[in-house]
Amino acid sequence: MERHQVSSQKWAIGLFTVGVFMAGLDNGIISTALTTIGESFGVSPSWGAWTVTLYTLGLAISTPIIGKLSDRYGRKRLFIIEIALFGFGSVLVALSPNFLILLMARVIQAIGGGGIFIIGSSHILATLPKEVQGKALGMLGGMHGLSAVIGPNLGAVILSLTGSWQWMFLINVPIAIILILFAFWKLDESRPGTEKPLDMMGTALLTISILSFMYGITQMGNTSFHVVNLLFIVVGLIGFIFLVFHERNLENKGADPILSYSLLTERKYIGTLILGFLSGGFLAGIIFIPAFVQQVLNVPVEHAGYWVTPLALASGVGAGIGGVVTDKYGPLRAIYASGIIGIIGFSLFVFIVNGFVSFSIASALAGISLGILLGAPLNMLAGESAKETEKGTAIGTLSLIRQIGLTIFPAVFAGFIAISKTDGYRQMFLTAAALALLVILVGMLLAKQSHTKQ
């Protein structure tokens, strides 16, 4: 029976995997094109950075909302809509007549790309036997590592062959069309959720709160950060408080809140959200490793890509390992493994890294640790905490919290590096190792809580 369930979902898993890979590929590709795009529109680097900032804000806003909508209206329908939005956004980016249209197109891309992983993960948790969910979730997580390797390199190849950055985005269009056609043909619609009215007030509060808070946070690393930016953060936090009270009242009345208040008060889920936040710090530490290669190890920029390739490949391998360990031993043991490997990997950066071999060992361990944590175990824990009709909501909220961590920690790490490059990177890696230790401790608390309930 279980084998039949897995076999019947092979097409679905394959389509979700390709979709996640396409969205991840786009993130890597644009890193190659930022300077070229800025020059083609005659904008300064600070304005050019908004192509990334708005994409980040779009991801943060869309993930919890798309998760809820997929639970409510069906995952096949939302998957097709997400792919269509991502494809349309890609065309609009490539054909943008001015920089403002390009920024709007990047938001559309974010809304489309941000929900693909959420929908795929919630589908796996809702349809596959628990014993094989980890491998499938690990496959989705592994796509991030592979796309991180292929994206920048593919972007450089496309740019050198065509001489036009527009083709970097047009490459998404045929993939999106194929995914939509096969989704209509091969995907089965999940059972729609409640027919109660959509929580429009909660959706508006959630959007305003995320947008305000995340904008304030993204400005923390800028030298122009001032009281106005701090005000955005405060407004965002106040908005979240109002949102929680609104969702509680709505749930007490038997309505359908955009975020489940009962889920947000579940201890196991709160612990999972804390782990998600810490995983954002993990990922932030990884993001700074290429800069470490150039600024501390003095590797020329044209060779830096080769140095960081083992790191990205290792994250894909780690996602697969995390899936296998999660299926066989449970998500908490996978989390312990991630924390232990992360402590070793980040500590090696502080104490022994001085050349390619030592760097490759340290970065591979850090990548494996990140891959394990971002792949199966956290999504599995989130799914276990949620009802059948809330799995998309649970994973979407987890992704939002991870995105918040991924926004806050780079600002902290950049502050370390601004004071002193060598000592700053040392402090950053020590902080990342401390986060890995916290991951283990939070996992132990969750294990203790589960044991107490039993």
Side-chain angles (χ1 to χ4, degrees):
M1 180 65 179
E2 288 183 0
R3 183 176 298 176
H4 174 71
Q5 282 181 279
V6 175
S7 178
S8 66
Q9 295 300 325
K10 281 184 178 179
W11 269 103
I13 296 171
L15 290 173
F16 292 136
T17 300
V18 174
V20 168
F21 181 74
M22 178 183 68
L25 198 68
D26 192 75
N27 283 337
I29 281 179
I30 197 169
S31 65
T32 308
L34 276 179
T35 302
T36 307
I37 291 173
E39 290 175 351
S40 67
F41 287 104
V43 298
S44 65
S46 60
W47 270 104
W50 275 96
T51 58
V52 175
T53 300
L54 283 178
Y55 193 86
T56 300
L57 294 174
L59 286 177
I61 294 169
S62 64
T63 47
I65 295 175
I66 295 298
K68 177 64 178 181
L69 294 179
S70 69
D71 288 335
R72 185 183 178 93
Y73 298 114
R75 298 183 186 99
K76 174 180 178 177
R77 188 179 307 174
L78 262 295
F79 178 72
I80 291 172
I81 291 173
E82 286 288 278
I83 295 295
L85 281 174
F86 187 81
F88 174 69
S90 298
V91 172
L92 198 56
V93 168
L95 302 182
S96 296
N98 55 60
F99 191 66
L100 179 60
I101 298 297
L102 183 139
L103 293 179
M104 293 170 57
R106 286 292 288 166
V107 174
I108 295 173
Q109 271 195 309
I111 294 173
I116 297 172
F117 183 81
I118 311 301
I119 296 168
S121 298
S122 60
H123 180 88
I124 287 169
L125 292 171
T127 58
L128 293 185
K130 188 175 180 180
E131 293 75 18
V132 296
Q133 289 176 357
K135 292 179 183 177
L137 290 171
M139 187 182 302
L140 291 185
M143 288 301 99
H144 289 292
L146 290 176
S147 61
V149 177
I150 297 174
N153 294 328
L154 180 61
V157 170
I158 294 174
L159 193 59
S160 64
L161 289 178
T162 65
S164 171
W165 60 266
Q166 285 87 349
W167 284 105
M168 297 182 181
F169 298 94
L170 291 174
I171 193 175
N172 296 324
V173 178
I175 302 174
I177 293 172
I178 291 171
L179 284 174
I180 291 171
L181 292 176
F182 274 92
F184 272 115
W185 180 26
K186 290 293 186 178
L187 282 185
D188 296 324
E189 185 58 277
S190 59
R191 184 177 61 188
T194 178
E195 295 183 359
K196 298 173 183 177
L198 184 63
D199 177 18
M200 298 303 296
M201 175 63 76
T203 303
L205 281 172
L206 179 64
T207 301
I208 294 170
S209 300
I210 295 173
L211 188 61
S212 180
F213 180 79
M214 292 292 287
Y215 173 76
I217 292 297
T218 57
Q219 300 304 304
M220 283 178 59
N222 296 340
T223 55
S224 59
F225 182 82
H226 46 72
V227 177
V228 175
N229 303 123
L230 187 60
L231 183 62
F232 274 102
I233 296 175
V234 173
V235 169
L237 291 174
I238 293 174
F240 280 125
I241 294 172
F242 275 106
L243 175 66
V244 170
F245 279 107
H246 170 75
E247 301 300 75
R248 185 187 66 177
N249 292 335
L250 209 61
E251 193 168 295
N252 289 339
K253 294 176 182 178
D256 184 34
I258 191 73
L259 293 180
S260 170
Y261 177 78
S262 57
L263 180 61
L264 293 175
T265 56
E266 172 70 32
R267 288 187 178 181
K268 182 177 182 180
Y269 188 63
I270 291 174
T272 305
L273 293 182
I274 293 172
L275 288 171
F277 179 75
L278 295 174
S279 72
F282 258 57
L283 190 52
I286 298 290
I287 288 172
F288 277 85
I289 289 178
F292 170 80
V293 171
Q294 298 176 42
Q295 296 179 8
V296 177
L297 299 181
N298 298 316
V299 176
V301 64
E302 61 270 19
H303 297 148
Y306 300 109
W307 279 59
V308 298
T309 295
L311 165 67
L313 290 175
S315 67
V317 172
I321 293 173
V324 172
V325 173
T326 298
D327 284 339
K328 194 167 185 180
Y329 302 107
L332 290 177
R333 292 194 178 182
I335 287 169
Y336 299 153
S338 171
I340 292 169
I341 296 172
I343 291 172
I344 297 172
F346 286 117
S347 297
L348 290 179
F349 277 106
V350 178
F351 298 110
I352 73 163
V353 169
N354 56 13
F356 180 75
V357 174
S358 57
F359 172 83
S360 297
I361 295 171
S363 60
L365 290 173
I368 290 173
S369 172
L370 176 71
I372 292 174
L373 194 61
L374 294 187
L378 294 188
N379 291 323
M380 202 87 137
L381 285 174
E384 290 174 357
S385 304
K387 300 175 185 177
E388 188 67 27
T389 56
E390 294 178 346
K391 293 188 183 298
T393 304
I395 298 175
T397 307
L398 172 64
S399 295
L400 167 62
I401 297 299
R402 179 185 294 128
Q403 191 65 47
I404 290 174
L406 182 55
T407 305
I408 291 175
F409 281 103
V412 175
F413 295 160
F416 292 159
I417 297 168
I419 297 172
S420 170
K421 283 186 181 179
T422 303
D423 290 340
Y425 279 108
R426 182 186 298 271
Q427 292 175 19
M428 184 193 77
F429 289 128
L430 286 174
T431 302
L435 293 176
L437 176 60
L438 286 175
V439 164
I440 297 174
L441 295 176
V442 173
M444 292 173 65
L445 288 174
L446 288 176
K448 184 178 180 181
Q449 180 190 340
S450 299
H451 181 72
T452 302
K453 282 187 176 183
Q454 294 174 356

